[in-house]
Amino acid sequence: MSRDIKELKTKANMIRRDILEMIYNIRSGHLGGSFSMVELLTALYFDEMHYDPENPKAPERDRFVLSKGHTAPALYAALANAGFFPKEKLLTSFRRIDCMLQGHPDMRKTPGVEMTSGSLGIGLSAAGGMALACRLRGLKSRVYCMIGDGELNEGQIWEAAATAAHYCLDNLTALIDVNGLQNDAETKKVKNMLDIRKKWEAFGWNTTEIDGHDFDAIFSALDAARACKGRPTAVIAHTVKGKGVSFMENVVAFHGKTPTEDEYRDGMKELKAAGL
């Protein structure tokens, strides 16, 4: 399959600009982990996944579950750019009471959101249920679940991993955003999960490791996941928290820090320059 990687990079840059603008506009939101998963989301929504924004509940659609729900800004920017709702909603609705773009994804309010999330650890259970339901209904749909590396501290992730392997859910792909930082510190200092790949392999998953910002590597992993039969796939994506704005990269404070006016201006300038 021929893919326009240059166009996808341009789309990823636009999504980062949307994320920065919406968080700065409301002075609230999680920027670092939203930036780290942009290429993964871009690959899914603008090449890999089958969906219809005009009919977001079509049974045959592919499904995406954002388990690390605090990074909703990235999902909302991707959905808006994919046509699920007008882009102006990013600035008029995000993190506002009774609006469609809540601080964490809400499947009752936002077109394209498959699962209400935010309480860490629950997403893979929901995604596994969706994958099993699709198989029982004879649908060819695939299910993708984005998990944070800090979220791997949650026991429910591993219960869900064991269940998915037991039921041989080869239509399920977990994308683990390994950016190395969580709310307070480096993930390995909060709780060292040691060799993540060996853990997923021990739970019976087809497992691969990639650079989560390299589109060629991402698509190679997604193609391999589609070809794998009889096992779910875990894609361990090594990323950079705050990716795209140099002074935000690998800075734990930007997990949930709102940029100052100067940081917003300088960050937007850097992203616009990179998008030329």
Side-chain angles (χ1 to χ4, degrees):
M1 179 185 296
S2 178
R3 294 176 168 116
D4 190 339
I5 301 299
K6 183 178 180 181
E7 179 61 29
L8 289 168
K9 288 180 178 179
T10 299
K11 183 67 72 175
N13 181 274
M14 175 57 68
I15 288 172
R16 282 197 174 91
R17 287 156 62 182
D18 288 339
I19 293 167
L20 179 56
E21 188 169 15
M22 61 197 292
I23 289 176
Y24 177 72
N25 179 65
I26 195 64
R27 305 296 199 277
S28 181
H30 295 78
L31 192 150
S34 293
F35 273 11
S36 65
M37 68 182 195
V38 166
E39 280 77 16
L40 295 165
L41 272 184
T42 302
L44 289 175
Y45 277 96
F46 300 98
D47 186 282
E48 180 70 14
M49 288 174 56
H50 171 74
Y51 59 85
D52 180 2
E54 299 296 324
N55 186 15
K57 294 297 184 182
E60 66 276 9
R61 72 191 183 281
D62 290 336
R63 293 153 173 85
F64 174 79
V65 174
L66 179 62
S67 191
K68 54 172 207 162
H70 56 282
T71 58
L75 176 58
Y76 295 156
L79 290 173
N81 279 277
F84 282 87
F85 50 82
K87 282 191 67 173
E88 55 262 29
K89 292 288 187 181
L90 298 177
L91 299 183
T92 61
S93 183
F94 178 56
R95 281 187 173 249
R96 288 173 168 82
I97 294 174
D98 294 329
C99 287
M100 66 180 293
L101 303 180
Q102 291 297 293
H104 293 79
D106 188 335
M107 62 191 290
R108 300 166 302 174
K109 293 182 179 292
T110 312
V113 170
E114 298 286 351
M115 174 61 190
T116 300
S117 62
S119 181
L120 294 176
I122 68 173
L124 189 60
S125 295
M130 292 176 191
L132 180 57
C134 287
R135 188 172 72 188
L136 292 174
R137 292 172 180 172
L139 299 173
K140 295 182 179 180
S141 306
R142 298 189 63 80
V143 182
Y144 301 88
C145 181
M146 184 77 71
I147 303 168
D149 54 349
E151 193 178 5
L152 298 182
N153 297 165
E154 302 283 354
Q156 187 173 345
I157 290 290
W158 302 105
E159 294 179 61
T163 301
H166 174 77
Y167 286 103
C168 306
L169 299 180
D170 52 18
N171 59 340
L172 174 63
T173 299
L175 303 162
I176 300 95
D177 181 10
V178 183
N179 60 41
L181 299 173
Q182 53 181 284
N183 186 59
D184 300 309
E186 293 179 73
T187 53
K188 65 182 180 182
K189 291 183 178 179
V190 176
K191 185 183 287 187
N192 195 338
M193 299 302 290
L194 303 176
D195 193 323
I196 296 173
R197 179 170 187 160
K198 286 183 178 179
K199 280 184 169 60
W200 286 94
E201 289 176 341
F203 274 78
W205 286 56
N206 171 49
T207 308
T208 187
E209 287 189 76
I210 63 168
D211 176 346
H213 300 301
D214 183 331
F215 278 110
D216 288 326
I218 293 169
F219 286 122
S220 178
L222 293 175
D223 290 345
R226 190 178 291 277
C228 180
K229 302 303 178 185
R231 291 192 293 166
T233 293
V235 178
I236 300 169
H238 295 277
T239 64
V240 175
K241 198 149 191 168
K243 177 69 173 180
V245 177
S246 57
F247 60 85
M248 297 180 182
E249 293 183 351
N250 288 317
V251 178
V252 70
F254 278 105
H255 175 86
K257 178 181 182 291
T258 299
T260 65
E261 182 177 353
D262 287 343
E263 289 169 338
Y264 165 75
R265 183 189 63 245
D266 293 345
M268 191 62 75
K269 181 179 179 181
E270 190 170 333
L271 287 171
K272 287 180 178 179
L276 294 176

